[in-house]
Amino acid sequence: DDKLLANLSKETLVKVMGPKVRGGWNLHQASQLIHAPLHFFIVFSSIRNHLIDPGSSSYNAGNEFFEALAQYRYEQLRLPAL
């Protein structure tokens, strides 16, 4: 249920992006709560949608969250992230 950015509604954004954001953030928080000595924290996104499918704006926003989460973990918390 993804759309072009011009046709995007809040409901569509939450529906498509929400699970990706919640899943990534929950994994990050869980690893912090249990003090897991992780050697790797890998999140997956894809440049494919940026290049091929401009109608995947919500999916792309979820990928950008992963990029920001990895940067936050690595630069601010000095934790592994890729």
Side-chain angles (χ1 to χ4, degrees):
D1 191 23
D2 223 351
K3 298 176 173 45
L4 291 171
L5 189 57
N7 301 327
L8 191 60
S9 68
K10 180 181 176 183
E11 292 77 25
T12 301
L13 182 65
V14 170
K15 180 180 177 182
V16 177
M17 183 179 152
K20 199 168 212 174
V21 169
R22 282 190 305 274
W25 187 251
N26 288 342
L27 286 173
H28 163 70
Q29 285 189 313
S31 71
Q32 299 301 290
L33 287 173
I34 63 171
H35 304 288
L38 300 178
H39 296 283
F40 303 99
F41 186 90
I42 301 171
V43 291
F44 292 94
S45 63
S46 173
I47 195 166
R48 176 209 169 272
N49 286 61
H50 291 287
L51 301 174
I52 297 172
D53 189 4
S56 295
S57 51
S58 298
Y59 181 81
N60 292 336
N63 288 340
E64 290 303 317
F65 173 78
F66 278 172
E67 295 290 333
L69 176 59
Q71 184 176 6
Y72 169 71
R73 284 181 55 87
Y74 184 75
E75 292 181 5
Q76 300 295 318
L77 304 177
R78 302 291 182 228
L79 295 171
L82 178 64

